[in-house]
């Protein structure tokens, strides 16, 4: 395996994020890019009123707001009481496996960019 991998933004590929809507998710690096296959990274553009439904994650992940303002929804269960966290450019939030989280771009005009890092234990 090479000691580095350059990824040009133009080479990122689009994928459909499960439970996501009104957004464009792109993958920058995948598990195959890293020793042990534990890490993947992407950049998602949430268009006005775009987001993701509240659902449980099976792995550790970090959201970093690169551009704009975004609301992250957390809950103890997918149907449980929700807490809304308003994040602005430069803010981040970390989730452990089992966390329930959703995303809401409440803007009528702003496209929000969010960097997503997922850490998965190899099976």
């Amino acid at each position: 395996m090479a000691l580095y991998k350059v990824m040009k933004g133009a080479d990122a590929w689009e994928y459909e994020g499960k439970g996501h809507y009104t957004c464009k998710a792109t993958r920058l690096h995948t598990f195959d890019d890293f020793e042990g296959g534990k890490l993947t990274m992407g950049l998602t553009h949430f268009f006005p009123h775009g987001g993701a439904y509240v659902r449980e994650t099976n792995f550790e992940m970090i959201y970093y707001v690169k551009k704009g303002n975004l609301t992250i929804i957390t809950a103890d269960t997918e149907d449980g009481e929700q807490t809304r966290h308003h994040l602005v450019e430069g803010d981040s939030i970390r989730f452990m496996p089992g966390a329930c989280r959703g995303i809401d771009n409440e803007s009528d005009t702003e496209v929000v960019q969010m960097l997503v890092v997922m850490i998965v234990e190899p099976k």
Side-chain angles (χ1 to χ4, degrees), residues 4 22 25 27 29 34 48 52 58 73 82 88 94 105 116 123:
Y4 62 90
T22 320
R27 187 74 71 215
H29 290 279
F34 299 96
N58 296 324
I73 302 127
Q82 297 180 352
V88 299
R94 177 181 174 218
N105 178 1
V116 179
K123 296 182 181 194

Side-chain angles (χ1 to χ4, degrees), residues 93-109:
I93 186 168
R94 177 181 174 218
F95 300 99
M96 297 300 293
C100 294
R101 80 286 181 258
I103 302 162
D104 191 5
N105 178 1
E106 299 171 305
S107 173
D108 292 330
T109 58

Side-chain angles (χ1 to χ4, degrees), residues 27-43:
R27 187 74 71 215
L28 302 169
H29 290 279
T30 67
F31 304 115
D32 296 335
D33 294 341
F34 299 96
E35 188 71 33
K38 294 182 180 183
L39 185 72
T40 187
M41 186 176 82
L43 180 67

Side-chain angles (χ1 to χ4, degrees), residues 48-77:
H49 301 287
Y53 300 107
V54 174
R55 49 189 289 270
E56 184 176 346
T57 181
N58 296 324
F59 41 82
E60 191 172 354
M61 59 190 334
I62 298 169
Y63 292 164
Y64 173 81
V65 180
K66 184 176 182 285
K67 179 182 177 194
N69 302 302
L70 200 60
T71 299
I72 304 297
I73 302 127
T74 58
D76 290 336
T77 64

Side-chain angles (χ1 to χ4, degrees), residues 75-120:
D76 290 336
T77 64
E78 290 180 4
D79 298 324
E81 184 177 332
Q82 297 180 352
T83 302
R84 300 177 74 78
H85 309 273
H86 186 72
L87 301 183
V88 299
E89 206 168 290
D91 290 347
S92 65
I93 186 168
R94 177 181 174 218
F95 300 99
M96 297 300 293
C100 294
R101 80 286 181 258
I103 302 162
D104 191 5
N105 178 1
E106 299 171 305
S107 173
D108 292 330
T109 58
E110 183 177 38
V111 176
V112 177
Q113 294 180 5
M114 185 173 75
L115 188 66
V116 179
V117 177
M118 294 176 275
I119 303 138
V120 179

